[in-house]
Amino acid sequence: MKIKVINGPNLNMLGIREPDIYGKNTYKDLCEFIEDFCDEKEVDFEIFQSNFEGAIVTEIQECLGEFDAIVINPAAYTHTSVAILDALKAVALPTVEVHLSDIDEREAFRKFSFISLYAEKVIKGKGFEGYKEAIEYLVNKY
């Protein structure tokens, strides 16, 4: 199985941005966590992060024919991006949405996710472990 892990805006600021919400671990720590788990599960993977909506849309489109599934943390675009939703629907790959924090327990505007309209599973509030759960889910299902 080959999985693309896509991370949205401000995730590159982990460890700096609101550590009371997102923790003190860095984005590099997250990438190493994902790499270690994928190596353990013998999963081929690539990680991508961008602060730009169009770059994320392009990355999703480029998954077609190259990857078996997508794990996505769209970050702030969760609540605003029909374009990312449409890109996921267009490539029609199994997708799991992940959020480090529990978006249902935060500001009212964070409670709705466009991405959840396509994703077959949404994992919230489990920190880095949410990525592990997402990858495990995809490996076991597919």
Side-chain angles (χ1 to χ4, degrees):
M1 170 162 264
K2 191 171 182 183
I3 297 175
K4 176 68 112 182
V5 179
I6 299 174
N7 289 302
N10 297 312
L11 285 164
N12 58 309
M13 299 297 288
L14 285 176
I16 298 167
R17 177 182 176 227
E18 301 178 275
D20 54 316
I21 295 173
Y22 300 106
K24 294 183 180 178
N25 290 322
T26 67
Y27 185 69
K28 182 180 177 195
D29 295 333
L30 174 61
C31 292
E32 290 171 355
F33 178 86
I34 293 167
E35 180 178 355
D36 289 347
F37 186 69
C38 286
D39 287 350
E40 176 186 321
K41 290 291 182 180
E42 299 180 352
V43 172
D44 289 331
F45 72 99
E46 287 181 18
I47 301 173
F48 174 82
Q49 188 277 327
S50 181
N51 295 319
F52 301 98
E53 183 179 28
I56 294 169
V57 168
T58 298
E59 197 67 26
I60 292 167
Q61 291 172 354
E62 290 176 354
C63 289
L64 187 61
E66 299 294 321
F67 290 86
D68 301 308
I70 295 172
V71 171
I72 186 167
N73 182 341
Y77 291 132
T78 301
H79 323 290
T80 63
S81 185
V82 174
I84 291 173
L85 168 63
D86 286 349
L88 290 168
K89 289 166 65 176
V91 300
L93 292 171
T95 300
V96 176
E97 178 181 351
V98 174
H99 297 281
L100 296 169
S101 67
D102 186 344
I103 59 176
D104 292 333
E105 299 296 321
R106 298 193 54 202
E107 302 93 337
F109 71 87
R110 294 188 194 271
K111 294 182 191 319
F112 178 73
S113 165
F114 280 100
I115 310 315
S116 71
L117 299 175
Y118 177 76
E120 58 187 71
K121 185 173 178 70
V122 179
I123 301 166
K124 304 174 265 192
K126 296 185 177 181
F128 287 10
E129 290 293 321
Y131 287 85
K132 188 185 216 180
E133 185 178 325
I135 293 162
E136 183 109 60
Y137 170 83
L138 290 166
V139 167
N140 290 338
K141 185 163 185 185
Y142 299 98

